[in-house]
Amino acid sequence: MKNEFLKQVYSPDDFRKRGHRLVDELADHLSKQLNDPKAPALCWSPPSEALEYWTDFLAHGDERKLFPEIVKRTTNIHNPKYVGHQVAPTAPITALSAMTGSLLNNGMAVYEMGMAPSAIERVITDWLCSKLGYDAQSRGFLTSGGTLANLTALLSARKAKLTDDVWNNGHSNALGIMVCEEAHYCIDRAAKIMGLGEKGIIKIPAMSNYAMDISLLQDHYQKAQEKGIQIFAIVGSAPSTATGIYDNLRAIADFAKKHDLWFHVDGAHGGAAIFSEKYRHLLNGIQDSDSVVIDGHKMMMMPIITTALLFRNGKNAAATFSQKADYLLTQSDDEDWYNSGKRTFECTKTMMSIHWYTLLKTYGEGIFDQYLTPLFDLGRAFGARIESNPRFELAVRPVSNIVCFRFVDETLDNMALNAINVQIRLQLLEEGKFYLVQTQLRGKHYLRTTLMNPFTTMADLEALLHAIVAKAELMFPGNT
Ligand SMILES: *Cc1c(COP(=O)(O)O)cnc(C)c1O
């Protein structure tokens, strides 16, 4: 009986039937999101209502409605009015590579558990390294997200730059890294995980445009040294998450070289600009970095979660976690790049390389330029539009596809403006037509948009500005 049940679970015919139906449903969803101007960016429901719905669905819902209901009750990244977090509207073909990976389910830690995807991973990371301007000594691997990749890079940096074997003996003297105050919070978290403590995170203040103030590097470095902190790495953001502003990588590279520091570039969001003829210059200096992170699931149209971590010197990639796990990892003298578990934090990981390879093989390298460049253009144009509108204030003139701004009114003080912008976003969220996010910068509450969808137009963004003003006018009818 039990056997019969599992036969049904694994039935190829059942899979075929359900699969065809699901692909039809998802294609309809995609078509609606891309083409129907009335399609909402999300159907907001408060956490308690969603919890109640899905608890009830498990007991009483119609099983055939499962996938359609999930699709209906969540956030629609493919909607052109989705201008929220930095997650890619996936190129639909990568949903197929994801399905392939999920069915094959190769574990990847060792070559034998992922022959095709391991070799493909080498092809992909070699290609990325060459795009960065690294030479033949470089190597990389794919890992589960920018957060984990940044931690891994800093562990590699510590291994490479310290003479003490901290990995085996722990560290007794104070260690530190340097990073701009605007960097993603995961750098902070990585440093804390590594035991550097608050004092080991040397935060370099940003300039008025939110990029690292290079002129302060030398002074902060010296002060840390005087306190007995041994700095081993410096991190540049490309760009920083909140504002989308790129640090001056060229200047950071020079500083790192002068002091023999590991130079890591957090290009989780905008490292993909290496593919843009027009915007590659924002990454000038990246070729002199020691390691780079690029998220495939942000500006490269891939499903969550796939991140490339690239090393100028492949030996450092291999040394990070030198540790024995005899049952899994045989010791070998040759490089054995194909056993990726030796280099990654994960043991099992998904067959993520096939997304990169599928895009590259199907559409060619040009797809990445064609995706990113117009979105950066649109971010800049949207910034200019906001700047010329007296009802709005721009946090900083955007250089990428991240744009932070807020509604302003000269009769209101900063506290009232913060409150009103919070309310505006909340109301837009509940309405669901647009999805945007928010951020606090220097005491001001901003609305934050990331333009991720290649079909978002200036007209969509104008409509967003109109909707914002309309909300504000309803809240403060006397003032506006
Ligand atoms: C998104 C982002 C991260 C975190 O990456 P995940 O893939 O979400 O873990 C790190 N740094 C920057 C600059 C980012 O934009």
Side-chain angles (χ1 to χ4, degrees), residues 169-191:
N169 305 328
H171 67 91
S172 41
N173 51 339
L175 301 176
I177 61 166
M178 300 175 84
V179 63
C180 180
E181 60 177 350
E182 286 297 320
H184 192 273
Y185 74 88
C186 73
I187 301 294
D188 227 79
R189 186 178 282 185

Side-chain angles (χ1 to χ4, degrees), residues 267-459:
H269 180 80
I274 48 170
F275 293 101
S276 170
E277 299 278 343
K278 186 169 173 186
Y279 292 115
R280 189 180 298 146
H281 68 90
L282 294 168
L283 294 164
N284 190 15
I286 203 168
Q287 64 277 17
D288 293 326
S289 63
D290 294 290
S291 54
V292 174
V293 161
I294 303 175
D295 273 348
H297 54 277
K298 284 184 178 161
M299 293 305 290
M300 297 186 75
M301 292 165 284
M302 284 173 240
I304 45 177
I305 194 168
T306 175
T307 299
L309 175 54
L310 309 156
F311 291 84
R312 182 165 50 153
N313 183 344
K315 290 211 174 73
N316 293 320
T320 313
F321 302 109
S322 46
Q323 180 180 35
K324 268 196 184 165
D326 286 334
Y327 67 95
L328 189 64
L329 308 171
T330 48
Q331 300 300 313
S332 59
D333 294 332
D334 69 347
E335 185 196 341
D336 76 341
W337 51 266
Y338 37 82
N339 292 317
S340 82
K342 282 189 177 176
R343 291 165 172 71
T344 55
F345 200 100
E346 303 101 315
C347 176
T348 305
K349 71 177 186 191
T350 64
M351 296 164 57
M352 49 185 85
S353 64
I354 62 178
H355 305 313
W356 302 72
Y357 197 81
T358 300
L359 283 178
L360 198 56
K361 176 68 189 160
T362 312
Y363 304 112
E365 188 179 302
I367 186 179
F368 299 113
D369 190 358
Q370 292 211 29
Y371 171 74
L372 183 140
T373 302
L375 288 172
F376 277 32
D377 286 344
L378 187 64
R380 289 167 177 226
F382 185 39
R385 201 62 70 96
I386 291 165
E387 212 169 8
S388 68
N389 187 331
R391 313 298 289 274
F392 293 97
E393 176 187 286
L394 206 51
V396 57
R397 199 171 280 166
V399 302
S400 64
N401 58 332
I402 300 176
V403 187
C404 299
F405 62 99
R406 61 178 192 162
F407 175 82
V408 286
D409 186 296
E410 60 194 21
T411 66
L412 300 173
D413 65 11
N414 189 50
M415 230 166 81
L417 285 177
N418 281 354
I420 197 171
N421 280 283
V422 168
Q423 274 308 313
I424 288 169
R425 196 197 84 93
L426 207 59
Q427 290 184 19
L428 289 171
L429 179 75
E430 286 168 359
E431 211 169 81
K433 188 171 171 195
F434 295 94
Y435 178 67
L436 70 167
V437 294
Q438 57 195 356
T439 192
Q440 286 269 349
L441 295 167
R442 296 174 184 156
K444 293 181 178 179
H445 192 94
Y446 287 100
L447 304 169
R448 178 170 172 273
T449 57
T450 311
L451 313 178
M452 298 300 291
N453 191 310
F455 304 108
T456 299
T457 61
M458 188 54 84

Side-chain angles (χ1 to χ4, degrees), residues 233-278:
I234 183 163
V235 180
S237 300
S240 66
T241 307
T243 58
I245 302 295
Y246 283 72
D247 285 340
N248 181 344
L249 302 183
R250 178 71 268 152
I252 302 174
D254 293 343
F255 184 83
K257 186 161 184 208
K258 185 168 150 208
H259 296 282
D260 191 28
L261 306 178
W262 182 283
F263 174 30
H264 174 64
V265 176
D266 180 2
H269 180 80
I274 48 170
F275 293 101
S276 170
E277 299 278 343
K278 186 169 173 186

